[in-house]
Amino acid sequence: MGRVLPFVIAALLSVVVLFTPESGVPSSPPGTDKVVHTLLFALLAFTGLYAKLPRILPLLVVYAGVSEVLQQLITPLHRSGDVLDALVDVVGIGLGWATATWWSRSHRRGPRTTR
C-alpha cells in the first residue's frame, strides 16, 4: 500500500480539481488553469508509475479526455469541456513520465561518492 497511497491521494485531488463546480473555482490569472492541468496530470503519471500500476499512462490519457467530456455533460457543475485542457493533460502525463524515468535512473545508480 505504501507505493500506491501517493497515487490514491493524487487521484482524489484530481477529482476535486476537475469536478469542483465553477462557483467553487477561485479566480486566477489567464493560463493558470493550463498550468494546474499540466502539473496535476504530471503528478498522476509520476505517482502512478511509482506505484507500478500497469498501463497507467494510457489510462491517464483516457481519463484526461473523459474528464473534459464529463465537465461538459454534468450540467450542475456549470463547467465546460476544453480540448486544450485535455491536450495539456497529455503534456503533463509526458512530463510525469519523464520525471519518473529520470528519478528511477538516478536512484538505481545508488549514492555517488566524491573523491
Side-chain angles (χ1 to χ4, degrees), residues 10 16 18 21:
V16 170
L18 297 174

Side-chain angles (χ1 to χ4, degrees), residues 31-104:
T32 302
D33 175 55
K34 304 306 180 233
V35 172
V36 169
H37 273 264
T38 302
L39 294 176
L40 179 63
F41 275 81
L43 179 65
L44 286 166
F46 181 86
T47 57
L49 290 168
Y50 175 75
K52 300 179 189 270
L53 298 175
R55 296 178 291 284
I56 190 61
L57 298 180
L59 290 172
L60 287 174
V61 171
V62 170
Y63 179 50
V66 168
S67 68
E68 291 304 318
V69 170
L70 289 175
Q71 286 178 9
Q72 184 72 37
L73 293 178
I74 302 173
T75 53
L77 294 178
H78 298 287
R79 294 184 64 163
S80 59
D82 184 354
V83 173
L84 190 53
D85 282 351
L87 291 174
V88 297
D89 293 345
V90 173
V91 169
I93 293 166
L95 179 63
W97 170 79
T99 304
T101 300
W102 168 82
W103 189 84
S104 175

